[in-house]
Amino acid sequence: MDDLRTTLATFSPEDRKDFIQFIQRQKRKQKGRMDLRLCELLLHQKEYTTPQLLAKLYPEEPNATAYYALRKRLLRHLTDYLLLRQRQHDPTAASSVRSLLTLAQYLFEAGVQRLAWNTLRKAENSARVNEQYDLLNTVYNVQIAQAGSEHADPLEDIIRRRNLNKKAADEEERAGIADSLIRQRLRQARVKGRAGEAFDGILQDVLREYDLQEAFARRPALLYRLMSIARNAMLVRRDFASFTPFVLRCYHLMEKRHGFQPAQRYYQVGLLYMIAHALYRVRRFEESVRYLGLLLAALAEEGGASYRAEWLPRYTFLLAANYAFMRRNAESIRLLEQALKPPVALSPRDQLTARLGLAFHYFAEGKFTKTNQTLINMGRSDHWCEQEMGLEWLVNKNIGEMLAQFEMGNSDLALNRLRAIERLLRERSGDAEAGPYAHVITYLDLVREIIEDPAALRHRGFMERVYQMPDLVPQQREDLQLMSFYAWLRARAQHRPYYEVLLELADVPSVAELKKPLGRV
């Protein structure tokens, strides 16, 4: 396989267009450029062999030496492009510090000592304030190397600052090692089926081994990393009831003891999102919305603006999901419709997330044609969705399509989609009836009976199976996605509106209960 072609194939259509423009940035010989021609051939849908590439590039006389020189030139374009894009897209201070370092080193080489040292001090200050310890170490090494200048700081002061930074940098390295070890040991524990029980013990052992207990309680960056590991473990177990008080306690302890500086805004926002998402999953919807409000406020504070593009879509999607369970589904629809209005600023993954959420909200309103149209307009194949979004996401999308088709009266199309889902699950898990998706197969069996014989809803045995289904899915009480699909079965069985049954299952008070006057205290 051609490694250069493999790398170029990772580019999105927009990235490919930008890269081709980047190759032409020097505004000379835009037509007939061999490096551009090679790029186009490597990006072609058909994968050409080296002899075929030689024949297309040099039809008169294949020139292997010129070809490999051309590949090197294209690789230089590629690395320069990625470096520039990284600097443009990097919202952290790391990019700024690197740029200042590059400028300082150039000025030293040019003999402009005073300006070079002023630039180095700016780099030092930015790296220190933003906790860029590795880069700060590089800054100090350059300062030590240039300490003979009349514009330099006293060498003893530089060495003292460098030694203090070394301790923080070492702590950062140990945290990185601990991070990888915790993840590895959790994977091993998960294979043995005891990831949840092992988490606390693994966490304490590794933190003690690397002397990091106090560091995680003092440094927002390390706390965020730790909470990410804990959250991933809880996602596998769907044990948000345990994770929610844990992350709440850690966040407020950090806020009370040390607070969050502007340079730590990213980690504050990330922790607030984890809290809001965990509260949503345990159905504390109003509290979740309150923490989302704190997240939005943090983005508006100093140091938060550069992270808005990353976190605002997640904020919007989670807010819309909460509103659906607060009898504010129409507001959920408006939020997501607004997010998808052209020009769409969302990434391809975020666009798919928004469309799947919007389809759910339309379905809850009984707008089945809009539900179906939204799912069709995703514009991505099932294979692409599975690769990018995961199998579970794809199954949820396909079940949504199946139910929408049935509600529109297209029983044959619904049945075809149901069979496709079953085939997919059997291909991915072998014995689907006894594998991780056994509950989905059980659900599909019940839906199939309704599609093939709507009168099944009047049979006592069928109704008993519908009401027993939550017992087959222990995590149903905490998984709102599973609950939303089960609610459709329950609604059909009870001949009631789907949305009302869903809210009832989620323990959302009825409109009548909300209107009841409060009793005297």
Side-chain angles (χ1 to χ4, degrees):
M1 184 174 287
D2 190 319
D3 291 344
L4 187 54
R5 184 180 192 274
T6 300
T7 305
L8 290 169
T10 63
F11 284 1
S12 68
E14 295 79 9
D15 290 335
R16 294 181 182 189
K17 183 179 177 182
D18 287 345
F19 180 53
I20 288 172
Q21 290 176 346
F22 180 80
I23 294 175
Q24 299 173 328
R25 67 195 182 282
Q26 294 171 333
K27 302 293 182 184
R28 64 187 182 197
K29 197 181 177 183
Q30 292 191 13
K31 292 186 178 180
R33 290 188 58 145
M34 296 295 285
D35 49 9
L36 187 58
R37 175 65 177 147
L38 175 59
C39 181
E40 291 170 345
L41 289 171
L42 291 174
L43 286 171
H44 197 275
Q45 187 174 2
K46 179 183 177 181
E47 183 172 359
Y48 296 110
T49 63
T50 298
Q52 289 173 328
L53 288 170
L54 281 167
K56 287 182 176 293
L57 290 166
Y58 310 101
E60 296 181 359
E61 183 180 356
N63 188 332
T65 302
Y67 168 70
Y68 285 108
L70 190 62
R71 286 180 64 91
K72 287 183 180 179
R73 192 191 316 162
L74 182 59
L75 182 59
R76 283 198 301 270
H77 285 312
L78 179 61
T79 52
D80 289 346
Y81 169 73
L82 292 174
L83 180 61
L84 180 63
R85 192 178 72 161
Q86 181 186 24
R87 289 189 173 183
Q88 290 174 338
H89 294 179
D90 185 0
T92 68
S95 178
S96 172
V97 175
R98 290 191 189 99
S99 298
L100 288 168
L101 260 175
T102 301
L103 176 58
Q105 288 168 327
Y106 165 76
L107 290 170
F108 279 123
E109 292 170 4
V112 189
Q113 298 283 324
R114 181 190 60 80
L115 187 54
W117 262 100
N118 286 343
T119 305
L120 264 187
R121 292 185 184 101
K122 289 180 182 178
E124 177 189 358
N125 184 62
S126 179
R128 185 177 60 252
V129 168
N130 292 284
E131 299 183 352
Q132 300 287 335
Y133 300 112
D134 285 340
L135 283 173
L136 187 52
N137 190 61
T138 304
V139 172
Y140 287 136
N141 286 337
V142 175
Q143 289 183 349
I144 290 170
Q146 299 294 336
S149 168
E150 62 176 311
H151 304 285
D153 294 341
L155 181 58
E156 294 77 9
D157 288 348
I158 300 172
I159 294 172
R160 179 183 52 79
R161 297 199 300 269
R162 179 255 184 203
N163 290 340
L164 286 173
N165 179 66
K166 263 294 188 182
K167 294 179 181 178
D170 178 65
E171 194 173 73
E172 191 85 6
E173 289 178 4
R174 286 186 282 118
I177 295 171
D179 182 26
S180 295
L181 274 175
I182 291 169
R183 292 179 189 276
Q184 181 191 64
R185 293 179 187 179
L186 272 175
R187 284 194 298 269
Q188 293 170 347
R190 196 173 295 131
V191 171
K192 298 177 182 177
R194 57 183 189 85
E197 294 77 5
F199 177 75
D200 290 342
I202 289 171
L203 182 65
Q204 294 302 323
D205 288 346
V206 173
L207 295 186
R208 193 180 305 110
E209 181 180 354
Y210 286 87
D211 191 23
L212 288 167
Q213 295 98 322
E214 177 58 28
F216 275 102
R218 186 182 69 250
R219 300 259 305 280
L222 301 186
L223 178 63
Y224 176 74
R225 181 181 287 181
L226 178 65
M227 289 299 103
S228 296
I229 299 170
R231 182 170 181 264
N232 288 336
M234 296 306 109
L235 279 171
V236 172
R237 297 173 59 205
R238 287 184 166 88
D239 186 10
F240 286 95
S242 299
F243 177 69
T244 304
F246 179 48
V247 67
L248 275 167
R249 184 173 64 253
C250 290
Y251 175 83
H252 287 296
L253 191 61
M254 171 70 72
E255 184 181 43
K256 182 179 179 181
R257 287 185 178 178
H258 306 285
F260 294 90
Q261 302 302 314
Q264 300 160 342
R265 200 68 67 207
Y266 180 89
Y267 307 113
Q268 181 187 15
V269 170
L271 290 166
L272 286 168
Y273 179 82
M274 288 184 200
I275 292 171
H277 181 257
L279 287 167
Y280 164 75
R281 293 299 289 264
V282 295
R283 286 172 280 159
R284 290 158 62 177
F285 305 114
E286 291 187 3
E287 288 181 75
S288 178
V289 170
R290 183 165 64 83
Y291 276 93
L292 284 174
L294 295 176
L295 184 158
L296 192 62
L299 287 175
E301 292 178 7
E302 182 184 355
S306 55
Y307 306 117
R308 291 176 67 84
E310 177 178 353
W311 289 104
L312 272 181
R314 302 186 201 183
Y315 161 85
T316 301
F317 303 154
L318 187 52
L319 185 63
N322 272 292
Y323 280 172
F325 290 94
M326 296 169 68
R327 300 187 179 277
R328 300 169 65 177
N329 196 51
E331 293 178 61
S332 301
I333 291 173
R334 283 196 293 273
L335 279 170
L336 296 180
E337 286 179 339
Q338 184 64 38
L340 288 166
K341 276 186 178 178
V344 181
L346 302 175
S347 68
R349 286 179 60 87
D350 283 344
Q351 287 187 48
L352 290 180
T353 301
R355 292 189 187 282
L356 185 61
L358 185 57
F360 163 77
H361 297 301
Y362 281 145
F363 192 92
E365 293 288 308
K367 299 177 179 179
F368 305 119
T369 302
K370 277 195 168 185
T371 300
N372 187 55
Q373 195 62 45
T374 301
L375 294 171
I376 291 172
N377 287 344
M378 285 188 176
R380 299 287 186 176
S381 67
D382 279 5
H383 175 74
W384 192 95
C385 289
E386 182 180 354
Q387 293 298 312
E388 293 297 319
M389 308 298 289
L391 178 60
E392 187 171 329
W393 189 95
L394 176 62
V395 170
N396 287 340
K397 168 186 169 289
N398 289 346
I399 291 178
E401 289 179 351
M402 172 191 70
L403 297 180
Q405 289 292 348
F406 180 68
E407 290 288 2
M408 291 189 296
N410 303 323
S411 297
D412 290 343
L413 291 176
L415 199 56
N416 287 339
R417 176 51 74 183
L418 186 150
R419 291 169 182 149
I421 299 169
E422 288 179 331
R423 282 196 303 273
L424 175 68
L425 293 177
R426 289 192 172 95
E427 288 172 3
R428 298 297 180 271
S429 60
D431 184 8
E433 283 79 1
Y437 297 100
H439 60 284
V440 181
I441 296 297
T442 301
Y443 174 82
L444 293 175
D445 287 341
L446 292 168
V447 175
R448 183 198 301 275
E449 291 187 43
I450 295 175
I451 294 174
E452 293 179 340
D453 180 19
L457 290 165
R458 295 195 294 270
H459 300 161
R460 182 176 177 181
F462 180 83
M463 297 292 288
E464 287 177 351
R465 287 161 58 206
V466 169
Y467 285 106
Q468 289 170 358
M469 189 176 176
D471 298 329
L472 304 176
V473 190
Q475 68 267 40
Q476 185 267 344
R477 292 299 297 170
E478 288 188 7
D479 194 320
L480 292 172
Q481 291 175 331
L482 287 172
M483 183 190 296
S484 67
F485 290 132
Y486 173 69
W488 182 84
L489 272 180
R490 180 75 74 94
R492 278 273 166 176
Q494 296 178 347
H495 304 287
R496 294 173 57 202
Y498 162 75
Y499 189 38
E500 286 302 318
V501 174
L502 175 62
L503 296 182
E504 184 179 284
L505 287 173
D507 298 327
V508 176
S510 66
V511 175
E513 289 174 322
L514 290 171
K515 289 182 178 179
K516 285 181 181 178
L518 295 174
R520 292 185 178 180
V521 178

